[in-house]
Amino acid sequence: MDNYSTLQPTTTREKLTILVIAPTPKIITQLTHSGIYSAHSTLATTVDDAIAALHDQIPQLIITEIEYDEILSFSHKLTMNLENGERPLLVCVTNTPDKELFEVADQIVAHSHLPYIDQIIDSLLRGTAKVKQAEQRCAKLEADNQKFHKEIVRLSKTSKELGLLKQAIVHSVGHELRTPMLQVKSAVALLKEDEGTNQTIIELAMGAITRLEGGIRNVTLLNELMSESLDRQSFMPVPIMQILEAALRNLGRSWEHRASASRVKVHVAPTATTVFCDRQRIIIALQLLLDNALKFSEGEVEINVTDADEFVILSVKDDGIGIPQDQIDLIFDAFYQVDSSSTRRYGGIGIGLAIVRLIMEQHETKVEVHSTERQGSSFTFALSAYDYMNSNNALST
Ligand code: ADP
């Protein structure tokens, strides 16, 4: 190394260390004039001197004004010398850049632009800082992404386990609770016969038993629906009025809705006549939707039936408490209730809609929910209309 030049650091390029490889001190002079000062900058006149200088200190910036071939060999040696260390920025001062040079240099500067070297270096440093920032942000996002991925795997494992647990509960609850419940029911019925028994208490007990019975019936039904896939042979053409009448009749007979069933109003378009479905299951689904509509509202509940092309559209609409938007997808999960005090306040155990969803899946359709809190909800689903003129298509599906 022939020549050392000590440059003062400026506030803008604080602690910037530069290695200049040039046959003459012209660039150093220019850097000095331009105000790019560094306390630890070095001038090497040959590539070998420059490599030797790298043993003492790795600069942040290397400015070369040497032959094209020498730059390439220097860049190669530099990469080998650094191993895993951070590579300095490489600025090449030349009027005859070659394609390969663009691949190794971070910046190429023509001799005529040397007077602006400070601005060129500033913008290079700014660009590099931005790239570094972006890289850091990417690394952080990547780390976050991995963390979320792990969390998703953990949650999906937990959710699978919960699903299995729910299935086990659903399977055993029906069996285990039915017998004691029937025993209690017979005992209360016997007590009712006894003239000395307080009839108000008996009424209360009967009410509770009916609710329990409903819960157990739904759990048993859910278990059956989960374990058997629907045989489409049970599908048949069913007049829509038959479905509505059966669902309303059952509702009127139920202990909870004896009084409120009269709130249901039915509107059926004359053109919506017959659907192709499993009669019993669609009656159950409609009944469960009506049960919720009556339970969660106090005003009129509407059943609307219309037709659209080859479908009949049924909807159950109430003006009740409504459902928060972010929970609409969740209410179809077994045992999910928007309000944890729902069982105590309204009855039910959170599986009605899980049953409805399964029945709809078996009919290759789904329920759409529109709801506004404190204004009401509507649950709508479409069933295949039965076309008497073309009965083969429905039966062969
Ligand atoms: P539940 O036995 O609790 O009624 P469901 O599965 O039928 O169980 O419904 C799940 C939950 O969805 C209910 O607990 C309630 O929070 C909400 N929900 C269902 N239908 C309605 C409705 N018509 N209005 C307001 N909330 C409803």
Side-chain angles (χ1 to χ4, degrees):
M1 252 171 331
D2 296 349
N3 203 344
Y4 284 85
S5 178
T6 304
L7 305 172
Q8 298 303 310
T10 66
T11 46
T12 47
R13 306 141 189 141
E14 227 174 303
K15 292 183 196 149
L16 181 65
T17 48
I18 308 175
L19 167 64
V20 179
I21 317 170
T24 66
K26 205 170 73 194
I27 291 181
I28 290 283
T29 314
Q30 189 62 55
L31 291 174
T32 314
H33 282 312
S34 308
I36 301 183
Y37 300 133
S38 169
H40 310 286
S41 293
T42 312
L43 172 65
T45 48
T46 67
V47 167
D48 287 342
D49 283 350
I51 294 294
L54 291 178
H55 290 301
D56 298 336
Q57 184 189 44
I58 303 294
Q60 290 152 298
L61 177 68
I62 298 175
I63 306 177
T64 69
E65 194 199 11
I66 49 177
E67 290 299 312
Y68 163 67
D69 286 347
E70 279 189 300
I71 297 172
L72 292 187
S73 104
F74 170 71
S75 166
H76 182 66
K77 285 180 185 164
L78 177 68
T79 311
M80 300 218 318
N81 216 39
L82 288 172
E83 289 174 1
N84 297 324
E86 199 171 330
R87 195 183 195 280
L89 291 170
L90 184 60
V91 175
C92 298
V93 181
T94 173
N95 285 342
T96 53
D98 194 274
K99 207 174 110 220
E100 264 183 87
L101 200 57
F102 281 102
E103 282 167 21
V104 296
D106 295 292
Q107 183 78 45
I108 292 174
V109 180
H111 280 98
S112 57
H113 287 157
L114 267 180
Y116 316 109
I117 188 87
D118 58 331
Q119 290 157 36
I120 293 169
I121 287 172
D122 272 351
S123 83
L124 179 64
L125 290 175
R126 271 199 300 276
T128 313
K130 273 186 197 150
V131 169
K132 240 184 216 151
Q133 253 177 20
E135 278 171 1
Q136 278 168 1
R137 226 173 280 158
C138 276
K140 190 175 173 303
L141 285 175
E142 178 64 24
D144 286 350
N145 195 14
Q146 276 180 12
K147 212 168 76 189
F148 289 137
H149 181 73
K150 272 190 195 150
E151 190 60 9
I152 287 171
V153 170
R154 190 183 69 76
L155 286 177
S156 77
K157 209 173 138 206
T158 314
S159 128
K160 223 182 242 167
E161 283 166 4
L162 275 178
L164 288 173
L165 188 66
K166 271 186 193 175
Q167 263 179 29
I169 294 171
V170 166
H171 182 75
S172 50
V173 160
H175 290 286
E176 303 303 326
L177 293 189
R178 211 168 3 191
T179 313
M181 194 269 306
L182 284 175
Q183 286 166 347
V184 173
K185 193 177 174 185
S186 319
V188 174
L190 278 176
L191 280 176
K192 196 170 186 244
E193 307 285 296
D194 191 341
E195 281 178 11
T197 320
N198 182 329
Q199 290 303 312
T200 317
I201 294 177
I202 294 291
E203 271 294 300
L204 270 175
M206 285 308 274
I209 289 169
T210 314
R211 277 158 76 157
L212 193 59
E213 228 176 357
I216 294 172
R217 196 176 44 241
N218 280 353
V219 172
T220 312
L221 183 61
L222 182 63
N223 184 36
E224 280 168 15
L225 288 172
M226 285 195 315
S227 47
E228 48 175 270
S229 60
L230 187 60
D231 178 6
R232 287 181 77 88
Q233 291 304 320
S234 66
F235 279 36
M236 58 175 93
V238 189
I240 203 77
M241 286 313 290
Q242 220 183 74
I243 294 173
L244 300 182
E245 278 162 13
L248 289 170
R249 201 170 41 243
N250 294 346
L251 212 62
R253 281 189 198 141
S254 77
W255 180 84
E256 300 108 303
H257 296 305
R258 266 190 313 217
S260 56
S262 60
R263 283 201 275 130
V264 182
K265 303 289 176 243
V266 182
H267 309 279
V268 184
T271 44
T273 55
T274 307
V275 286
F276 190 68
C277 68
D278 180 298
R279 179 181 178 278
Q280 211 44 46
R281 293 189 181 184
I282 292 299
I283 292 172
I284 290 171
L286 185 61
Q287 228 172 288
L288 289 166
L289 293 178
L290 285 170
D291 177 74
N292 279 345
L294 290 170
K295 210 161 61 171
F296 296 109
S297 77
E298 288 175 352
E300 206 167 80
V301 168
E302 277 179 34
I303 302 179
N304 282 296
V305 186
T306 53
D307 63 340
D309 298 327
E310 67 267 40
F311 295 104
V312 170
I313 320 286
L314 288 98
S315 84
V316 175
K317 186 167 172 287
D318 65 65
D319 61 0
I321 61 171
I323 303 154
Q325 282 305 310
D326 60 344
Q327 306 204 23
I328 284 183
D329 286 340
L330 301 172
I331 56 174
F332 289 91
D333 286 352
F335 301 113
Y336 189 88
Q337 296 181 307
V338 171
D339 178 355
S340 56
S341 64
S342 192
T343 300
R344 194 164 19 86
R345 287 173 65 189
Y346 302 103
I349 49 171
I351 56 172
L353 289 181
I355 293 175
V356 173
R357 179 167 67 179
L358 274 176
I359 293 176
M360 293 304 147
E361 276 171 8
Q362 290 167 341
H363 284 79
E364 289 169 12
T365 185
K366 60 181 184 156
V367 186
E368 274 184 25
V369 185
H370 292 281
S371 187
T372 310
E373 280 184 86
R374 290 178 298 280
Q375 288 186 29
S377 315
S378 74
F379 289 73
T380 307
F381 60 95
L383 291 175
S384 299
Y386 186 73
D387 181 359
Y388 283 101
M389 305 299 287
N390 185 18
S391 55
N392 278 343
N393 61 356
L395 281 166
S396 61
T397 48

